[in-house]
Amino acid sequence: MKIKNYTEVTEFILLGIPHTEGLETMLFVIFLFIYIFTLLGNFLILLAIISSSHLHTPMYFFLGLLSTFDIFFPSVSSPKMMVFLSGNSRVISYRGCASQLFFYHFLGCTEGILYCVMSYDRFVAICHPLHYTVIMNPRLCVVLATCTSLIGCIHATILTSLTFQLPYCGPNEVNYYLCDIPAILPLACADSSLAQRVSFTNVGLLTVMLFFTIIVSYTHIGIAILRMRSTEGRGKAFSTCSAHLTAIMCAYGPIIIIYFQSTYNPLLDAVVQILNNIVSPMLNSLIYSLRNKEVKRALKRMFNNLLYGEKIYSTHEYSPAEAVSGQANGKLLATAHIISGSPTVLAQQTSGTAGQF
């Protein structure tokens, strides 16, 4: 990415979170705890997925990618923010500011697209369980992951180039805790209307498209769940989907508030962006994984192997309540296995209904 600097400005000063003077020590302790918890939680989830062979499925492949991005996303802004909260320098170099903006939008956009991919994975799992392993094959998973990162890179490159091709020759104090477009563009010495329009259109259009796709996927999922005759299977599917939707709202909500507000509000922006950039990655480890019994079992096996050197093989037993009845028995049983993270279709275990499929 080529950045043209036409000005004498070589650094910016991050003023931090607006209207928090005197609270630096308390904020430092809070954000340090959140950051460490985020790194540790997502790292353990990633290790559990890698070390447990029965979690090598599309659902957990994408969940592993999400955990990886959730390690790097808060790392874009948290270390620098904790540096100046601890009383050290608030200065960030010109290229450091540009890099921070690029990686913030690259990782944020990539995560947003990944949520969309994960909703499609759940759509296939619940609406087409018998074809899940055929549709969500390893090749498609790799293609989706590659395209997700590529789109995020293109998106971030466009926004960063438009922002830093402008001359910055006046004040260099950024009234924010990181370098982001709404805080940087007012400092430009030239007309920034084009960059504002493009960034608004780019972020807004992409957000709307992804959110619409997620809504469509979950509408089909909701209809499929309501058609289930098993109360147990319906409850499990609703629990899984509600967790996904909660994480999605935590990710998309701040973006909608920040980029669709009529006037720029530094304090409001800081609060909602902290929720998106720092708090949401921590919540994802709880929402997506630590509530998941399969991940808990994998973590327990991993710790037992480390502490006691025991080799505990992966097993999963389904209670009789998970076996559903009715004409769609085979399909719903397959759905129950896929929702839990295992895409194996046990058609031979269905109660004499395999011939119907």
Side-chain angles (χ1 to χ4, degrees):
M1 180 178 59
K2 185 177 180 181
I3 300 175
K4 298 179 180 179
N5 185 359
Y6 297 102
T7 74
E8 296 179 355
V9 172
T10 58
E11 61 186 25
F12 292 97
I13 300 174
L14 300 175
L15 299 183
I17 304 172
H19 310 297
T20 58
E21 293 79 7
L23 302 175
E24 287 83 2
T25 302
M26 182 184 69
L27 291 175
F28 173 80
V29 173
I30 293 174
F31 290 132
L32 180 62
F33 170 79
I34 293 175
Y35 185 55
I36 293 175
F37 185 89
T38 300
L39 296 183
L40 182 61
N42 285 288
F43 183 69
L44 287 176
I45 292 165
L46 192 59
L47 281 182
I49 293 173
I50 293 174
S51 63
S52 184
S53 59
H54 83 290
L55 295 185
H56 294 174
T57 66
M59 173 181 173
Y60 291 106
F61 170 73
F62 295 124
L63 185 56
L65 286 178
L66 181 64
S67 294
T68 302
F69 291 133
D70 279 340
I71 290 173
F72 289 106
F73 192 31
S75 300
V76 173
S77 59
S78 293
K80 182 61 181 178
M81 181 173 64
M82 286 185 288
V83 165
F84 63 70
L85 284 176
S86 62
N88 294 303
S89 175
R90 296 173 177 265
V91 174
I92 184 171
S93 68
Y94 183 92
R95 291 188 176 275
C97 186
S99 299
Q100 190 179 61
L101 190 147
F102 172 82
F103 284 107
Y104 178 80
H105 283 277
F106 166 64
L107 293 169
C109 176
T110 303
E111 275 205 15
I113 300 173
L114 186 58
Y115 284 121
C116 185
V117 172
M118 294 175 74
S119 69
Y120 174 72
D121 172 72
R122 293 299 84 203
F123 162 75
V124 177
I126 295 176
C127 298
H128 305 284
L130 297 178
H131 301 93
Y132 180 75
T133 54
V134 177
I135 298 174
M136 299 302 296
N137 57 76
R139 180 179 178 181
L140 178 62
C141 292
V142 172
V143 170
L144 289 174
T146 303
C147 291
T148 295
S149 299
L150 183 61
I151 294 172
C153 183
I154 295 173
H155 168 81
T157 300
I158 293 173
L159 296 182
T160 306
S161 299
L162 283 173
T163 301
F164 285 93
Q165 73 176 358
L166 297 171
Y168 292 89
C169 54
N172 65 342
E173 293 185 343
V174 180
N175 190 26
Y176 213 40
Y177 71 95
L178 83 161
C179 295
D180 196 16
I181 297 172
I184 293 294
L185 285 182
L187 302 178
C189 298
D191 183 19
S192 61
S193 58
L194 176 61
Q196 289 176 348
R197 287 196 301 269
V198 173
S199 62
F200 176 84
T201 304
N202 197 347
V203 175
L205 184 61
L206 184 62
T207 301
V208 170
M209 288 175 59
L210 293 175
F211 194 69
F212 177 76
T213 303
I214 292 171
I215 292 299
V216 171
S217 296
Y218 275 100
T219 299
H220 287 284
I221 290 172
I223 294 173
I225 292 175
L226 292 175
R227 289 177 178 174
M228 291 183 179
R229 297 188 180 183
S230 167
T231 304
E232 192 80 15
R234 190 185 302 119
K236 190 171 185 178
F238 266 123
S239 176
T240 302
C241 293
S242 62
H244 290 191
L245 286 172
T246 301
I248 289 169
M249 292 307 300
C250 289
Y252 280 91
I255 299 175
I256 295 173
I257 293 174
I258 291 173
Y259 288 94
F260 288 88
Q261 60 181 333
S262 56
T263 57
Y264 176 62
N265 187 326
L267 179 59
L268 176 63
D269 285 5
V271 172
V272 296
Q273 209 150 21
I274 286 172
L275 290 176
N276 179 48
N277 179 225
I278 299 175
V279 178
S280 182
M282 179 190 68
L283 294 178
N284 282 345
S285 62
L286 299 173
I287 294 172
Y288 275 102
S289 303
L290 297 184
R291 291 178 54 191
N292 187 302
K293 293 181 180 179
E294 295 292 330
V295 174
K296 286 182 179 179
R297 290 192 186 98
L299 287 172
K300 185 177 180 180
R301 285 191 296 271
M302 185 176 67
F303 283 124
N304 284 334
N305 290 337
L306 291 174
L307 296 176
Y308 307 110
E310 298 178 2
K311 184 63 178 178
I312 302 177
Y313 293 95
S314 170
T315 58
H316 181 76
E317 297 179 357
Y318 290 91
S319 63
E322 289 180 311
V324 295
S325 60
Q327 294 180 350
N329 187 31
K331 182 177 180 179
L332 295 178
L333 179 58
T335 304
H337 281 272
I338 294 169
I339 292 173
S340 67
S342 174
T344 305
V345 179
L346 304 178
Q348 66 271 22
Q349 294 185 10
T350 60
S351 303
T353 60
Q356 300 178 18
F357 300 95

